[in-house]
Amino acid sequence: MKAVIILPTYNEKENVHKLIPLLEEVVFPKVENHEMAILVADDNSPDGTADEIREFMKKWKNIDISQGPKHGLGAAYIRGMSYAIEHMGADVVFEMDADGQHDPMKIPDFMKKIDEGADMVIGTRYSGGGSIPANWPPQRKAFSIVANIFVRTVFTKFSIHDWTGGYRALKKEVFLKEKKELSNFKGYIFQISFLHKAIRDGFTIAEVPFHFSDRKLGSSKIAPVGYIIEVVKFVILTRIKELLLGSFGKYLVVGGFGFLLNAIILKIGVEFFNLTPTVANLAGAAVAIFSNYNFNNIWTFRHHKITSPKQYFIKLLHFYLTSAFGVIFIQTGTIFLGDILFGKEGYFLYFLIGTGLLLIWNFTIYNKFIWKKKSTQ
Ligand SMILES: Nc1nc2c(ncn2[C@@H]2O[C@H](COP(=O)(O)OP(=O)(O)OP(=O)(O)O)[C@@H](O)[C@H]2O)c(=O)[nH]1
Ligand SMILES: [Mg+2]
């Protein structure tokens, strides 16, 4: 395979001067069985980074440069990856800071993970011995640590420890698949969104721990603290969109329809058939649960559809039981607790909180037990 290390640069003349010989003379000879090359994605740096690279290109034939206007890190990577694949024949592309903060000696470890079958390898500072500079100011440390915990939690993807780092390797298939959807996001958001899409599309992800050293030469282009609000906004909006457009949105539509059925039957039962509200509501709930079960089966969770008649009845029974449990213990229980702890006045708020918890409970149970992958066969 051919792997191209993409170094995005904006005024990194002094840094590439040190990094490129290190890659060529020390690191590349350590990578067995793969052809290694370098692409510098330079945004017309005024400090003459490109001239430095052109000098190196005379000495080493596996170096190339792609220049363009400065539209941010994401744009530089999109341009660089396209170039590496189309003009250099790359099978694998690396993202690597040009300022030496990404320990180049880890490159063989990334390639090993690719050899073992990973589609995308993430350099991690937050697991397995990886670390961030001890001398970073407290607010930068806090930003980096909290941002990563935040992203992992909101995306409920705890197996990936470093979402914002920029030391990565990926097969060209990953880039080609996601290219259309990759926007010119600024620094950290580009990294988060790229990884999020790769996971969504089922690519295999692996991690390589590394120590992120402090920048020694040149100046920083990314202002971490300035990104806080943008990162939070991006991650939350992405998650909400994903949930609403995905099975959770369908589940809400199905549940909303069930709720309407329940309400109509309750009203007809009481007003036209003279039933007591309790009995009429039980009938309405029973019909609504039946409707929910079937619509969820053929629509929300259609990828894990229950087809065998025996399974259909067993799961229907489970569905009734878990739905009843949720209504009695979670929804009604929340109202009960609210009433005892804070008084009756807030009953409607407790109802709303209880219903919210109920929705999450049901969705989790349906995913994990009713329509879980293997049990449906
Ligand atoms: N081509 C290009 N490269 C960029 C741009 N912004 C940042 N870079 C490069 O991306 C890499 C990471 O940027 P840095 O400024 O080092 O960000 P950082 O590592 O979070 O910050 P420091 O720890 O202060 O170095 C460096 O190689 C930069 O030169 C850009 O707009 N265009
Ligand atoms: Mg840096």
Side-chain angles (χ1 to χ4, degrees), residues 7-12 41-43 70-73 76 79 96-99 101 136 140 188 212-215 219-222 224:
L7 303 173
T9 54
Y10 192 73
N11 290 343
E12 303 287 5
D42 181 57
D43 288 0
K70 184 164 168 32
H71 291 312
L73 187 62
R79 190 182 75 228
M96 187 179 189
D97 287 1
D99 56 10
Q101 287 180 284
W136 264 4
R140 181 158 189 191
Y188 302 109
F212 190 64
S213 53
D214 206 9
R215 178 189 267 277
S219 62
S220 181
K221 280 96 207 169
I222 297 178

PDB file of all heavy atoms in Angstrom, residues 7-12 41-43 70-73 76 79 96-99 101 136 140 188 212-215 219-222 224, ligand 1:
ATOM      1  N   LEU A   7       0.781  17.045   5.505  1.00  0.00           N
ATOM      2  CA  LEU A   7       1.159  18.050   6.510  1.00  0.00           C
ATOM      3  C   LEU A   7       0.507  19.372   6.123  1.00  0.00           C
ATOM      4  O   LEU A   7       0.925  20.004   5.139  1.00  0.00           O
ATOM      5  CB  LEU A   7       2.692  18.228   6.529  1.00  0.00           C
ATOM      6  CG  LEU A   7       3.536  16.975   6.789  1.00  0.00           C
ATOM      7  CD1 LEU A   7       5.026  17.313   6.609  1.00  0.00           C
ATOM      8  CD2 LEU A   7       3.292  16.444   8.200  1.00  0.00           C
ATOM      9  N   PRO A   8      -0.524  19.810   6.844  1.00  0.00           N
ATOM     10  CA  PRO A   8      -1.103  21.123   6.536  1.00  0.00           C
ATOM     11  C   PRO A   8      -0.175  22.201   7.081  1.00  0.00           C
ATOM     12  O   PRO A   8       0.329  22.075   8.196  1.00  0.00           O
ATOM     13  CB  PRO A   8      -2.429  21.108   7.303  1.00  0.00           C
ATOM     14  CG  PRO A   8      -2.208  20.172   8.441  1.00  0.00           C
ATOM     15  CD  PRO A   8      -1.157  19.190   8.029  1.00  0.00           C
ATOM     16  N   THR A   9       0.054  23.215   6.301  1.00  0.00           N
ATOM     17  CA  THR A   9       0.979  24.245   6.796  1.00  0.00           C
ATOM     18  C   THR A   9       0.449  25.638   6.569  1.00  0.00           C
ATOM     19  O   THR A   9      -0.124  25.954   5.525  1.00  0.00           O
ATOM     20  CB  THR A   9       2.355  24.163   6.087  1.00  0.00           C
ATOM     21  OG1 THR A   9       2.144  24.204   4.684  1.00  0.00           O
ATOM     22  CG2 THR A   9       3.130  22.938   6.469  1.00  0.00           C
ATOM     23  N   TYR A  10       0.624  26.445   7.569  1.00  0.00           N
ATOM     24  CA  TYR A  10       0.475  27.880   7.413  1.00  0.00           C
ATOM     25  C   TYR A  10       1.603  28.509   8.232  1.00  0.00           C
ATOM     26  O   TYR A  10       1.582  28.447   9.463  1.00  0.00           O
ATOM     27  CB  TYR A  10      -0.911  28.379   7.857  1.00  0.00           C
ATOM     28  CG  TYR A  10      -1.107  29.809   7.410  1.00  0.00           C
ATOM     29  CD1 TYR A  10      -1.334  30.101   6.070  1.00  0.00           C
ATOM     30  CD2 TYR A  10      -0.985  30.863   8.312  1.00  0.00           C
ATOM     31  CE1 TYR A  10      -1.443  31.405   5.630  1.00  0.00           C
ATOM     32  CE2 TYR A  10      -1.097  32.180   7.870  1.00  0.00           C
ATOM     33  CZ  TYR A  10      -1.327  32.441   6.532  1.00  0.00           C
ATOM     34  OH  TYR A  10      -1.421  33.734   6.089  1.00  0.00           O
ATOM     35  N   ASN A  11       2.594  29.014   7.543  1.00  0.00           N
ATOM     36  CA  ASN A  11       3.797  29.566   8.193  1.00  0.00           C
ATOM     37  C   ASN A  11       4.480  28.557   9.115  1.00  0.00           C
ATOM     38  O   ASN A  11       4.603  28.782  10.316  1.00  0.00           O
ATOM     39  CB  ASN A  11       3.440  30.836   8.985  1.00  0.00           C
ATOM     40  CG  ASN A  11       3.080  31.996   8.066  1.00  0.00           C
ATOM     41  OD1 ASN A  11       3.394  31.953   6.869  1.00  0.00           O
ATOM     42  ND2 ASN A  11       2.434  33.006   8.603  1.00  0.00           N
ATOM     43  N   GLU A  12       4.896  27.457   8.541  1.00  0.00           N
ATOM     44  CA  GLU A  12       5.584  26.424   9.330  1.00  0.00           C
ATOM     45  C   GLU A  12       6.972  26.133   8.763  1.00  0.00           C
ATOM     46  O   GLU A  12       7.466  25.015   8.861  1.00  0.00           O
ATOM     47  CB  GLU A  12       4.747  25.123   9.360  1.00  0.00           C
ATOM     48  CG  GLU A  12       3.344  25.231   9.900  1.00  0.00           C
ATOM     49  CD  GLU A  12       3.265  25.406  11.416  1.00  0.00           C
ATOM     50  OE1 GLU A  12       4.326  25.546  12.071  1.00  0.00           O
ATOM     51  OE2 GLU A  12       2.131  25.415  11.934  1.00  0.00           O
ATOM     52  N   ALA A  41       0.198  20.411   2.415  1.00  0.00           N
ATOM     53  CA  ALA A  41      -0.983  21.170   1.975  1.00  0.00           C
ATOM     54  C   ALA A  41      -0.823  22.591   2.498  1.00  0.00           C
ATOM     55  O   ALA A  41      -1.186  22.889   3.649  1.00  0.00           O
ATOM     56  CB  ALA A  41      -2.251  20.523   2.517  1.00  0.00           C
ATOM     57  N   ASP A  42      -0.219  23.423   1.688  1.00  0.00           N
ATOM     58  CA  ASP A  42       0.168  24.765   2.153  1.00  0.00           C
ATOM     59  C   ASP A  42      -0.807  25.827   1.634  1.00  0.00           C
ATOM     60  O   ASP A  42      -1.192  25.801   0.464  1.00  0.00           O
ATOM     61  CB  ASP A  42       1.586  25.075   1.645  1.00  0.00           C
ATOM     62  CG  ASP A  42       2.042  26.440   2.133  1.00  0.00           C
ATOM     63  OD1 ASP A  42       2.054  26.650   3.366  1.00  0.00           O
ATOM     64  OD2 ASP A  42       2.351  27.301   1.290  1.00  0.00           O
ATOM     65  N   ASP A  43      -1.191  26.715   2.511  1.00  0.00           N
ATOM     66  CA  ASP A  43      -2.136  27.768   2.104  1.00  0.00           C
ATOM     67  C   ASP A  43      -1.392  29.053   1.771  1.00  0.00           C
ATOM     68  O   ASP A  43      -1.627  30.111   2.384  1.00  0.00           O
ATOM     69  CB  ASP A  43      -3.171  28.014   3.223  1.00  0.00           C
ATOM     70  CG  ASP A  43      -4.159  26.865   3.316  1.00  0.00           C
ATOM     71  OD1 ASP A  43      -4.021  25.903   2.525  1.00  0.00           O
ATOM     72  OD2 ASP A  43      -5.070  26.927   4.167  1.00  0.00           O
ATOM     73  N   LYS A  70      -6.169  30.296   1.708  1.00  0.00           N
ATOM     74  CA  LYS A  70      -6.367  29.905   3.112  1.00  0.00           C
ATOM     75  C   LYS A  70      -7.847  29.913   3.472  1.00  0.00           C
ATOM     76  O   LYS A  70      -8.448  30.961   3.671  1.00  0.00           O
ATOM     77  CB  LYS A  70      -5.582  30.853   4.036  1.00  0.00           C
ATOM     78  CG  LYS A  70      -5.666  30.459   5.508  1.00  0.00           C
ATOM     79  CD  LYS A  70      -4.594  31.155   6.294  1.00  0.00           C
ATOM     80  CE  LYS A  70      -4.753  31.080   7.802  1.00  0.00           C
ATOM     81  NZ  LYS A  70      -5.365  29.925   8.362  1.00  0.00           N
ATOM     82  N   HIS A  71      -8.418  28.699   3.529  1.00  0.00           N
ATOM     83  CA  HIS A  71      -9.820  28.582   3.942  1.00  0.00           C
ATOM     84  C   HIS A  71      -9.953  27.733   5.201  1.00  0.00           C
ATOM     85  O   HIS A  71     -11.009  27.156   5.445  1.00  0.00           O
ATOM     86  CB  HIS A  71     -10.650  27.952   2.818  1.00  0.00           C
ATOM     87  CG  HIS A  71     -10.802  28.836   1.612  1.00  0.00           C
ATOM     88  ND1 HIS A  71     -11.173  30.154   1.708  1.00  0.00           N
ATOM     89  CD2 HIS A  71     -10.612  28.592   0.297  1.00  0.00           C
ATOM     90  CE1 HIS A  71     -11.212  30.684   0.498  1.00  0.00           C
ATOM     91  NE2 HIS A  71     -10.869  29.766  -0.373  1.00  0.00           N
ATOM     92  N   GLY A  72      -8.870  27.576   5.947  1.00  0.00           N
ATOM     93  CA  GLY A  72      -8.945  26.815   7.196  1.00  0.00           C
ATOM     94  C   GLY A  72      -8.423  25.398   7.045  1.00  0.00           C
ATOM     95  O   GLY A  72      -8.197  24.900   5.931  1.00  0.00           O
ATOM     96  N   LEU A  73      -8.267  24.758   8.202  1.00  0.00           N
ATOM     97  CA  LEU A  73      -7.634  23.438   8.249  1.00  0.00           C
ATOM     98  C   LEU A  73      -8.441  22.373   7.497  1.00  0.00           C
ATOM     99  O   LEU A  73      -7.879  21.548   6.772  1.00  0.00           O
ATOM    100  CB  LEU A  73      -7.450  23.031   9.715  1.00  0.00           C
ATOM    101  CG  LEU A  73      -6.650  21.767   9.969  1.00  0.00           C
ATOM    102  CD1 LEU A  73      -5.229  21.904   9.461  1.00  0.00           C
ATOM    103  CD2 LEU A  73      -6.641  21.438  11.460  1.00  0.00           C
ATOM    104  N   ALA A  76      -7.979  22.683   3.825  1.00  0.00           N
ATOM    105  CA  ALA A  76      -6.628  22.265   3.416  1.00  0.00           C
ATOM    106  C   ALA A  76      -6.545  20.738   3.359  1.00  0.00           C
ATOM    107  O   ALA A  76      -5.952  20.167   2.444  1.00  0.00           O
ATOM    108  CB  ALA A  76      -5.591  22.826   4.386  1.00  0.00           C
ATOM    109  N   ARG A  79      -8.536  19.359   0.314  1.00  0.00           N
ATOM    110  CA  ARG A  79      -7.750  19.559  -0.899  1.00  0.00           C
ATOM    111  C   ARG A  79      -6.559  18.587  -0.933  1.00  0.00           C
ATOM    112  O   ARG A  79      -6.296  17.931  -1.950  1.00  0.00           O
ATOM    113  CB  ARG A  79      -7.246  21.012  -0.927  1.00  0.00           C
ATOM    114  CG  ARG A  79      -6.609  21.426  -2.235  1.00  0.00           C
ATOM    115  CD  ARG A  79      -6.081  22.858  -2.166  1.00  0.00           C
ATOM    116  NE  ARG A  79      -4.852  22.938  -1.397  1.00  0.00           N
ATOM    117  CZ  ARG A  79      -4.631  23.841  -0.427  1.00  0.00           C
ATOM    118  NH1 ARG A  79      -5.544  24.735  -0.105  1.00  0.00           N
ATOM    119  NH2 ARG A  79      -3.487  23.852   0.227  1.00  0.00           N
ATOM    120  N   MET A  96      -1.482  14.944   9.916  1.00  0.00           N
ATOM    121  CA  MET A  96      -0.417  15.139  10.904  1.00  0.00           C
ATOM    122  C   MET A  96      -0.021  16.606  10.956  1.00  0.00           C
ATOM    123  O   MET A  96       0.225  17.217   9.907  1.00  0.00           O
ATOM    124  CB  MET A  96       0.792  14.304  10.475  1.00  0.00           C
ATOM    125  CG  MET A  96       1.889  14.292  11.476  1.00  0.00           C
ATOM    126  SD  MET A  96       3.219  13.250  10.839  1.00  0.00           S
ATOM    127  CE  MET A  96       4.220  13.186  12.275  1.00  0.00           C
ATOM    128  N   ASP A  97       0.025  17.187  12.156  1.00  0.00           N
ATOM    129  CA  ASP A  97       0.443  18.583  12.279  1.00  0.00           C
ATOM    130  C   ASP A  97       1.893  18.720  11.817  1.00  0.00           C
ATOM    131  O   ASP A  97       2.722  17.846  12.081  1.00  0.00           O
ATOM    132  CB  ASP A  97       0.340  19.064  13.735  1.00  0.00           C
ATOM    133  CG  ASP A  97      -1.101  19.272  14.180  1.00  0.00           C
ATOM    134  OD1 ASP A  97      -2.009  19.030  13.357  1.00  0.00           O
ATOM    135  OD2 ASP A  97      -1.300  19.661  15.350  1.00  0.00           O
ATOM    136  N   ALA A  98       2.178  19.850  11.175  1.00  0.00           N
ATOM    137  CA  ALA A  98       3.523  20.044  10.639  1.00  0.00           C
ATOM    138  C   ALA A  98       4.484  20.583  11.688  1.00  0.00           C
ATOM    139  O   ALA A  98       5.680  20.715  11.435  1.00  0.00           O
ATOM    140  CB  ALA A  98       3.450  21.024   9.470  1.00  0.00           C
ATOM    141  N   ASP A  99       3.966  20.903  12.886  1.00  0.00           N
ATOM    142  CA  ASP A  99       4.817  21.585  13.872  1.00  0.00           C
ATOM    143  C   ASP A  99       5.535  20.634  14.822  1.00  0.00           C
ATOM    144  O   ASP A  99       6.080  21.067  15.842  1.00  0.00           O
ATOM    145  CB  ASP A  99       3.985  22.603  14.666  1.00  0.00           C
ATOM    146  CG  ASP A  99       2.796  21.967  15.339  1.00  0.00           C
ATOM    147  OD1 ASP A  99       2.724  20.719  15.350  1.00  0.00           O
ATOM    148  OD2 ASP A  99       1.933  22.699  15.859  1.00  0.00           O
ATOM    149  N   GLN A 101       4.323  18.368  16.795  1.00  0.00           N
ATOM    150  CA  GLN A 101       3.645  17.961  18.035  1.00  0.00           C
ATOM    151  C   GLN A 101       3.168  16.511  17.975  1.00  0.00           C
ATOM    152  O   GLN A 101       2.900  15.898  18.995  1.00  0.00           O
ATOM    153  CB  GLN A 101       2.447  18.875  18.292  1.00  0.00           C
ATOM    154  CG  GLN A 101       2.853  20.260  18.758  1.00  0.00           C
ATOM    155  CD  GLN A 101       1.631  21.110  19.006  1.00  0.00           C
ATOM    156  OE1 GLN A 101       0.992  21.589  18.086  1.00  0.00           O
ATOM    157  NE2 GLN A 101       1.292  21.307  20.266  1.00  0.00           N
ATOM    158  N   TRP A 136       0.842  22.984  29.545  1.00  0.00           N
ATOM    159  CA  TRP A 136      -0.280  23.745  28.993  1.00  0.00           C
ATOM    160  C   TRP A 136      -0.969  24.532  30.100  1.00  0.00           C
ATOM    161  O   TRP A 136      -1.105  24.026  31.223  1.00  0.00           O
ATOM    162  CB  TRP A 136      -1.299  22.789  28.376  1.00  0.00           C
ATOM    163  CG  TRP A 136      -1.147  22.599  26.895  1.00  0.00           C
ATOM    164  CD1 TRP A 136      -0.169  23.113  26.088  1.00  0.00           C
ATOM    165  CD2 TRP A 136      -2.016  21.826  26.052  1.00  0.00           C
ATOM    166  NE1 TRP A 136      -0.384  22.698  24.797  1.00  0.00           N
ATOM    167  CE2 TRP A 136      -1.503  21.922  24.736  1.00  0.00           C
ATOM    168  CE3 TRP A 136      -3.170  21.079  26.274  1.00  0.00           C
ATOM    169  CZ2 TRP A 136      -2.104  21.281  23.658  1.00  0.00           C
ATOM    170  CZ3 TRP A 136      -3.762  20.441  25.201  1.00  0.00           C
ATOM    171  CH2 TRP A 136      -3.241  20.548  23.900  1.00  0.00           C
ATOM    172  N   ARG A 140      -6.481  25.511  28.857  1.00  0.00           N
ATOM    173  CA  ARG A 140      -6.350  24.730  27.626  1.00  0.00           C
ATOM    174  C   ARG A 140      -6.475  23.238  27.929  1.00  0.00           C
ATOM    175  O   ARG A 140      -7.113  22.492  27.186  1.00  0.00           O
ATOM    176  CB  ARG A 140      -5.006  25.027  26.932  1.00  0.00           C
ATOM    177  CG  ARG A 140      -4.897  24.234  25.647  1.00  0.00           C
ATOM    178  CD  ARG A 140      -3.949  24.764  24.616  1.00  0.00           C
ATOM    179  NE  ARG A 140      -4.135  24.003  23.386  1.00  0.00           N
ATOM    180  CZ  ARG A 140      -3.330  24.050  22.349  1.00  0.00           C
ATOM    181  NH1 ARG A 140      -2.306  24.843  22.366  1.00  0.00           N
ATOM    182  NH2 ARG A 140      -3.566  23.313  21.286  1.00  0.00           N
ATOM    183  N   TYR A 188     -11.152  21.897  15.031  1.00  0.00           N
ATOM    184  CA  TYR A 188     -11.645  20.764  15.803  1.00  0.00           C
ATOM    185  C   TYR A 188     -12.935  20.201  15.233  1.00  0.00           C
ATOM    186  O   TYR A 188     -13.184  19.001  15.294  1.00  0.00           O
ATOM    187  CB  TYR A 188     -11.873  21.183  17.261  1.00  0.00           C
ATOM    188  CG  TYR A 188     -10.624  21.717  17.907  1.00  0.00           C
ATOM    189  CD1 TYR A 188     -10.497  23.064  18.207  1.00  0.00           C
ATOM    190  CD2 TYR A 188      -9.559  20.873  18.179  1.00  0.00           C
ATOM    191  CE1 TYR A 188      -9.341  23.557  18.775  1.00  0.00           C
ATOM    192  CE2 TYR A 188      -8.398  21.357  18.741  1.00  0.00           C
ATOM    193  CZ  TYR A 188      -8.289  22.696  19.042  1.00  0.00           C
ATOM    194  OH  TYR A 188      -7.143  23.170  19.592  1.00  0.00           O
ATOM    195  N   PHE A 212       1.243  14.129  23.068  1.00  0.00           N
ATOM    196  CA  PHE A 212       1.147  15.368  22.290  1.00  0.00           C
ATOM    197  C   PHE A 212       2.131  16.350  22.897  1.00  0.00           C
ATOM    198  O   PHE A 212       1.907  16.848  24.001  1.00  0.00           O
ATOM    199  CB  PHE A 212      -0.299  15.875  22.387  1.00  0.00           C
ATOM    200  CG  PHE A 212      -0.623  17.010  21.445  1.00  0.00           C
ATOM    201  CD1 PHE A 212      -0.586  16.843  20.071  1.00  0.00           C
ATOM    202  CD2 PHE A 212      -1.017  18.245  21.939  1.00  0.00           C
ATOM    203  CE1 PHE A 212      -0.917  17.881  19.199  1.00  0.00           C
ATOM    204  CE2 PHE A 212      -1.360  19.293  21.075  1.00  0.00           C
ATOM    205  CZ  PHE A 212      -1.306  19.098  19.706  1.00  0.00           C
ATOM    206  N   SER A 213       3.220  16.631  22.195  1.00  0.00           N
ATOM    207  CA  SER A 213       4.227  17.504  22.813  1.00  0.00           C
ATOM    208  C   SER A 213       3.877  18.964  22.544  1.00  0.00           C
ATOM    209  O   SER A 213       3.023  19.258  21.713  1.00  0.00           O
ATOM    210  CB  SER A 213       5.615  17.173  22.265  1.00  0.00           C
ATOM    211  OG  SER A 213       5.571  17.225  20.869  1.00  0.00           O
ATOM    212  N   ASP A 214       4.547  19.838  23.233  1.00  0.00           N
ATOM    213  CA  ASP A 214       4.225  21.255  23.086  1.00  0.00           C
ATOM    214  C   ASP A 214       4.885  21.802  21.820  1.00  0.00           C
ATOM    215  O   ASP A 214       5.946  21.338  21.402  1.00  0.00           O
ATOM    216  CB  ASP A 214       4.730  22.010  24.329  1.00  0.00           C
ATOM    217  CG  ASP A 214       3.913  23.276  24.562  1.00  0.00           C
ATOM    218  OD1 ASP A 214       2.892  23.463  23.878  1.00  0.00           O
ATOM    219  OD2 ASP A 214       4.310  24.075  25.433  1.00  0.00           O
ATOM    220  N   ARG A 215       4.262  22.799  21.219  1.00  0.00           N
ATOM    221  CA  ARG A 215       4.834  23.445  20.031  1.00  0.00           C
ATOM    222  C   ARG A 215       6.114  24.180  20.449  1.00  0.00           C
ATOM    223  O   ARG A 215       6.106  24.939  21.418  1.00  0.00           O
ATOM    224  CB  ARG A 215       3.802  24.427  19.460  1.00  0.00           C
ATOM    225  CG  ARG A 215       4.278  25.202  18.261  1.00  0.00           C
ATOM    226  CD  ARG A 215       3.268  26.276  17.925  1.00  0.00           C
ATOM    227  NE  ARG A 215       2.283  25.851  16.929  1.00  0.00           N
ATOM    228  CZ  ARG A 215       2.499  25.887  15.609  1.00  0.00           C
ATOM    229  NH1 ARG A 215       3.651  26.277  15.141  1.00  0.00           N
ATOM    230  NH2 ARG A 215       1.550  25.527  14.784  1.00  0.00           N
ATOM    231  N   SER A 219       4.089  29.758  15.392  1.00  0.00           N
ATOM    232  CA  SER A 219       2.995  30.145  16.299  1.00  0.00           C
ATOM    233  C   SER A 219       1.727  29.354  16.016  1.00  0.00           C
ATOM    234  O   SER A 219       1.514  28.856  14.910  1.00  0.00           O
ATOM    235  CB  SER A 219       2.718  31.640  16.160  1.00  0.00           C
ATOM    236  OG  SER A 219       2.311  31.891  14.837  1.00  0.00           O
ATOM    237  N   SER A 220       0.890  29.293  17.064  1.00  0.00           N
ATOM    238  CA  SER A 220      -0.358  28.531  17.037  1.00  0.00           C
ATOM    239  C   SER A 220      -1.359  29.190  16.097  1.00  0.00           C
ATOM    240  O   SER A 220      -1.458  30.406  16.055  1.00  0.00           O
ATOM    241  CB  SER A 220      -0.897  28.510  18.463  1.00  0.00           C
ATOM    242  OG  SER A 220      -2.056  27.778  18.513  1.00  0.00           O
ATOM    243  N   LYS A 221      -2.108  28.352  15.332  1.00  0.00           N
ATOM    244  CA  LYS A 221      -3.132  28.909  14.433  1.00  0.00           C
ATOM    245  C   LYS A 221      -4.533  28.616  14.930  1.00  0.00           C
ATOM    246  O   LYS A 221      -5.513  29.137  14.431  1.00  0.00           O
ATOM    247  CB  LYS A 221      -2.984  28.317  13.031  1.00  0.00           C
ATOM    248  CG  LYS A 221      -1.905  28.952  12.198  1.00  0.00           C
ATOM    249  CD  LYS A 221      -0.619  28.163  12.264  1.00  0.00           C
ATOM    250  CE  LYS A 221       0.595  29.043  12.031  1.00  0.00           C
ATOM    251  NZ  LYS A 221       1.826  28.320  12.348  1.00  0.00           N
ATOM    252  N   ILE A 222      -4.620  27.714  15.876  1.00  0.00           N
ATOM    253  CA  ILE A 222      -5.944  27.325  16.362  1.00  0.00           C
ATOM    254  C   ILE A 222      -6.123  27.860  17.781  1.00  0.00           C
ATOM    255  O   ILE A 222      -5.271  27.631  18.634  1.00  0.00           O
ATOM    256  CB  ILE A 222      -6.096  25.791  16.336  1.00  0.00           C
ATOM    257  CG1 ILE A 222      -6.005  25.304  14.884  1.00  0.00           C
ATOM    258  CG2 ILE A 222      -7.416  25.377  16.954  1.00  0.00           C
ATOM    259  CD1 ILE A 222      -6.091  23.810  14.723  1.00  0.00           C
ATOM    260  N   PRO A 224      -8.065  27.364  20.910  1.00  0.00           N
ATOM    261  CA  PRO A 224      -8.992  26.391  21.462  1.00  0.00           C
ATOM    262  C   PRO A 224     -10.178  27.027  22.176  1.00  0.00           C
ATOM    263  O   PRO A 224     -11.315  26.634  21.953  1.00  0.00           O
ATOM    264  CB  PRO A 224      -8.167  25.582  22.451  1.00  0.00           C
ATOM    265  CG  PRO A 224      -6.771  25.974  22.249  1.00  0.00           C
ATOM    266  CD  PRO A 224      -6.732  27.244  21.474  1.00  0.00           C
TER     267      PRO A 224
HETATM  268  N1  LIG B   1      -2.961  24.731   5.313  1.00  0.00           N
HETATM  269  C1  LIG B   1      -3.405  25.164   6.504  1.00  0.00           C
HETATM  270  N2  LIG B   1      -2.854  24.656   7.622  1.00  0.00           N
HETATM  271  C2  LIG B   1      -3.335  25.091   8.814  1.00  0.00           C
HETATM  272  C3  LIG B   1      -4.367  26.035   8.940  1.00  0.00           C
HETATM  273  N3  LIG B   1      -4.614  26.231  10.263  1.00  0.00           N
HETATM  274  C4  LIG B   1      -3.755  25.440  10.923  1.00  0.00           C
HETATM  275  N4  LIG B   1      -2.966  24.748  10.062  1.00  0.00           N
HETATM  276  C5  LIG B   1      -1.915  23.773  10.337  1.00  0.00           C
HETATM  277  O1  LIG B   1      -2.515  22.756  11.109  1.00  0.00           O
HETATM  278  C6  LIG B   1      -1.617  22.255  12.082  1.00  0.00           C
HETATM  279  C7  LIG B   1      -2.232  22.421  13.468  1.00  0.00           C
HETATM  280  O2  LIG B   1      -2.378  23.812  13.794  1.00  0.00           O
HETATM  281  P1  LIG B   1      -1.768  24.404  15.148  1.00  0.00           P
HETATM  282  O3  LIG B   1      -1.760  25.871  15.069  1.00  0.00           O
HETATM  283  O4  LIG B   1      -0.485  23.720  15.427  1.00  0.00           O
HETATM  284  O5  LIG B   1      -2.870  23.963  16.207  1.00  0.00           O
HETATM  285  P2  LIG B   1      -2.643  23.282  17.625  1.00  0.00           P
HETATM  286  O6  LIG B   1      -1.636  22.177  17.491  1.00  0.00           O
HETATM  287  O7  LIG B   1      -3.985  22.952  18.162  1.00  0.00           O
HETATM  288  O8  LIG B   1      -2.029  24.471  18.471  1.00  0.00           O
HETATM  289  P3  LIG B   1      -0.553  24.553  19.175  1.00  0.00           P
HETATM  290  O9  LIG B   1      -0.531  23.528  20.273  1.00  0.00           O
HETATM  291  O10 LIG B   1      -0.437  25.937  19.695  1.00  0.00           O
HETATM  292  O11 LIG B   1       0.438  24.261  18.090  1.00  0.00           O
HETATM  293  C8  LIG B   1      -0.308  23.025  11.882  1.00  0.00           C
HETATM  294  O12 LIG B   1       0.541  22.263  11.061  1.00  0.00           O
HETATM  295  C9  LIG B   1      -0.779  24.298  11.177  1.00  0.00           C
HETATM  296  O13 LIG B   1       0.211  24.874  10.361  1.00  0.00           O
HETATM  297  C10 LIG B   1      -4.921  26.552   7.731  1.00  0.00           C
HETATM  298  O14 LIG B   1      -5.824  27.384   7.733  1.00  0.00           O
HETATM  299  N5  LIG B   1      -4.411  26.077   6.557  1.00  0.00           N
END
